[in-house]
């Protein structure tokens, strides 16, 4: 039994640990499912990189496949559920995934992609075509005992599309990965996350993005989660009120749609339980951000960065109100610098190319693509995400 699940099953046996719009699980049930997923993956030949892929819309099963894969010592590849079969096949081939998890809405494309990329095992929930292993049936065949926890944990392999060409694979960076020499140590590190003090988590974004995926990882910190299948502004407000949500990850589009709700709908639900909303994904219009702070209070933390490196800059609501439009100061191990076209530093309040110095020397690393990795840098550990910015004094 994983330590966090065993402890929580005793401490909070009746608490709903994870729910979506169709089902709910207590901590004792969470422990059983995760053990079975991890043991089932250990029983398969996954090759040296132990990669599995999850091509499914938001649900409890999607969370189980992701967190169970991590506990099973796998590198999980979350796949955008909007992609075509050919696009999915490219990711499966490039990543070397040996198992593909699908749901009934991605089944046709997933089966086709798995055949194209020669993925030997496809496991699915919901109605599935012939040849796909039933997730429930597969779980019933696995041991419910504690899986091996002395294996090394492996970071996700994320695919970020950029603006052109094929999506680029990049491992979940050290700034976002809890590390540890073993899965047991990794889970203990997750359990020490300060997010455990912020109340119940709400997943509103697609779980192929690392922000929404945090809802699965936060289970190891004892944080219960509510998963919405798709974002709906009123359903989001209703969930915050009904389940006393403490934290979530949202993007500016979510804010725009929430603000567009009629006043009588907004007033119907309480948001007093909120402690932190992490805002990421895109620059938020100043008027939108200001209106959200006025409505929900100073609960917003802007996290600017990218899948390749994690959060490079951060700002609280209080600081943002003093520097409206800013994405804040750089955070360790990064230092923000702004350069002209010749690579020279520019004076304060002068627009230029935004670069970051990574004190660890890692910078940006793309899977199977040394040329693209090199192209993001002007010096070892000094990289750009391709954007223009300015910095004040």
């Amino acid at each position: 039994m994983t330590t966090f699940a065993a402890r929580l099953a005793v401490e909070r046996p009746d608490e709903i640990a994870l729910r979506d719009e169709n089902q709910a699980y207590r901590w004792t049930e969470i422990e059983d499912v995760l053990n079975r997923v991890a043991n089932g993956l250990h029983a398969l030949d996954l090759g040296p990189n132990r990669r599995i892929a999850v091509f499914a819309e938001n649900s409890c099963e999607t969370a189980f496949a992701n967190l169970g894969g991590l506990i099973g010592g796998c590198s999980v590849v979350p796949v955008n559920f909007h992609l075509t079969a050919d696009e999915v096949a490219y990711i499966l081939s490039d990543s070397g995934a040996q198992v593909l998890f699908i749901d009934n809405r991605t089944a046709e494309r997933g089966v086709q992609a798995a055949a194209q990329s020669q993925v030997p095992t496809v496991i699915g929930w919901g109605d599935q075509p012939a040849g796909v292993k039933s997730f429930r049936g597969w779980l019933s065949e696995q041991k419910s005992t504690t899986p091996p926890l002395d294996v090394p944990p492996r970071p996700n392999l994320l695919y970020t599309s950029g603006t052109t060409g094929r999506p680029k694979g990049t491992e979940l960076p050290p700034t976002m990965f809890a590390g540890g020499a073993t899965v047991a140590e990794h889970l203990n590190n997750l359990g020490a996350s300060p997010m455990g003090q912020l109340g119940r988590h709400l997943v509103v974004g697609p779980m192929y993005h690392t922000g929404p995926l945090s809802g699965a990882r936060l289970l190891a910190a004892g944080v219960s989660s509510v998963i919405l299948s798709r974002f709906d502004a009123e359903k989001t407000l209703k969930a915050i009120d009904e389940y006393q949500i403490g934290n979530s990850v949202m993007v500016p589009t979510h804010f725009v749609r929430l603000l567009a709700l009629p006043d009588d709908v907004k007033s119907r639900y309480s948001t007093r339980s909120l402690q932190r909303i992490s805002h990421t994904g895109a620059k938020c219009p100043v008027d939108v951000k200001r209106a959200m702070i006025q409505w929900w209070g100073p609960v917003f933390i802007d996290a600017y960065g990218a899948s390749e490196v994690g959060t490079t800059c951060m700002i609280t609501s209080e600081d943002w109100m003093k520097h409206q439009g800013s994405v804040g100061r750089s955070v360790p191990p990064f230092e923000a610098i702004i350069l002209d076209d010749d690579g020279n530093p520019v004076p304060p309040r002068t627009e230029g190319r935004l670069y970051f110095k990574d004190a660890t020397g890692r910078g940006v690393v793309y899977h199977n693509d040394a040329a693209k990795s090199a192209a993001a840098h002007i010096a070892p550990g000094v990289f750009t995400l391709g954007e223009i910015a300015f910095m004040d004094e």
Side-chain angles (χ1 to χ4, degrees):
M1 185 181 288
T2 55
T3 303
F4 79 90
R7 174 175 54 82
L8 294 165
V10 172
E11 291 177 0
R12 301 183 236 158
D14 296 324
E15 180 182 53
I16 298 299
L18 184 68
R19 70 166 77 232
D20 61 23
E21 290 156 87
N22 301 305
Q23 56 197 324
Y25 293 83
R26 292 178 170 83
W27 288 109
T28 50
E29 297 165 318
I30 292 279
E31 178 263 329
D32 181 73
V33 175
L34 291 177
N35 282 355
R36 290 176 185 274
V37 171
N39 284 323
L41 292 170
H42 274 296
L44 297 173
D45 179 7
L46 300 179
N49 294 318
R50 294 188 58 78
R51 288 224 170 84
I52 66 170
V54 182
F55 179 47
E57 298 196 20
N58 289 11
S59 67
C60 289
E61 291 89 350
T62 301
F64 291 143
N66 278 279
L67 184 54
L70 173 64
I71 295 170
C74 298
S75 171
V76 184
V77 183
V79 182
N80 182 335
F81 53 68
H82 296 292
L83 297 183
T84 66
D86 288 344
E87 290 168 331
V88 175
Y90 167 76
I91 290 174
L92 297 178
S93 296
D94 188 68
S95 67
Q98 297 299 300
V99 176
L100 177 64
F101 289 95
I102 58 176
D103 64 16
N104 58 316
R105 289 158 292 193
T106 61
E108 182 178 351
R109 289 169 290 149
V111 169
Q112 183 180 337
Q116 287 179 226
S117 53
Q118 299 182 323
V119 173
T121 303
V122 182
I123 302 170
W125 43 91
D127 296 330
Q128 294 292 334
V132 175
K133 289 180 181 288
S134 159
F135 182 66
R136 294 296 165 192
W138 179 71
L139 286 182
S140 70
E141 298 168 358
Q142 312 309 324
K143 297 177 181 178
S144 62
T145 53
T146 304
L149 300 178
D150 57 350
V151 298
R154 298 173 186 267
N156 292 90
L157 184 63
L158 308 167
Y159 278 79
T160 176
S161 58
T163 54
T164 58
R166 294 282 198 179
K168 304 179 290 291
T170 184
E171 282 193 349
L172 189 71
T175 55
M176 301 178 69
F177 189 63
T182 65
V183 167
E185 188 177 336
H186 182 83
L187 292 173
N188 285 337
N189 292 346
L190 285 172
S193 167
M195 294 297 288
Q197 308 303 313
L198 296 177
R200 188 170 288 116
H201 184 78
L202 178 65
V203 177
V204 297
M207 294 176 71
Y208 54 79
H209 285 308
T210 187
L213 256 183
S214 64
R217 291 192 292 267
L218 286 173
L219 287 171
V223 178
S224 59
S225 287
V226 176
I227 299 173
L228 298 185
S229 57
R230 295 287 182 97
F231 176 78
D232 175 275
E234 185 172 357
K235 284 183 179 179
T236 296
L237 284 182
K238 184 176 186 295
I240 291 170
D241 187 6
E242 181 177 355
Y243 301 116
Q244 292 295 286
I245 297 299
N247 72 95
S248 187
V249 178
M250 296 187 183
V251 300
T253 300
H254 296 146
F255 301 154
V256 170
R257 292 180 182 174
L258 285 160
L259 289 167
L261 288 170
D263 289 342
D264 66 313
V265 174
K266 293 179 192 173
S267 64
R268 199 175 299 158
Y269 307 101
S270 171
T271 60
R272 285 193 297 270
S273 61
L274 291 174
Q275 298 185 58
R276 177 183 292 181
I277 300 295
S278 298
H279 154 232
T280 188
K283 180 174 173 59
C284 188
V286 170
D287 59 333
V288 171
K289 180 70 177 295
R290 188 189 303 116
M292 287 302 297
I293 293 173
Q294 290 169 348
W295 180 12
W296 287 3
V299 298
F300 298 89
I301 298 286
D302 281 25
Y304 169 80
S307 300
E308 293 90 331
V309 291
T311 297
T312 56
C313 295
M314 190 174 288
I315 190 168
T316 64
S317 294
E318 292 87 351
D319 280 350
W320 187 90
M321 290 299 289
K322 300 172 187 174
H323 304 274
Q324 296 189 19
S326 174
V327 296
R329 291 186 171 93
S330 54
V331 297
F334 304 110
E335 176 190 351
I337 54 175
I338 301 183
L339 308 176
D340 63 21
D341 290 345
D342 297 320
N344 301 309
V346 301
R349 301 185 182 275
T350 303
E351 286 191 356
R353 298 176 184 272
L354 176 59
Y355 282 84
F356 292 94
K357 291 181 181 179
D358 183 348
T360 70
R362 178 183 183 272
V364 172
V365 179
Y366 289 117
H367 173 67
N368 284 342
D369 205 325
K372 282 184 179 177
S373 300
H377 297 80
I378 56 169
V382 183
F383 64 90
T384 182
L385 302 175
E387 296 190 315
I388 302 298
F390 72 90
M391 200 183 306
D392 66 15
E393 291 74 13

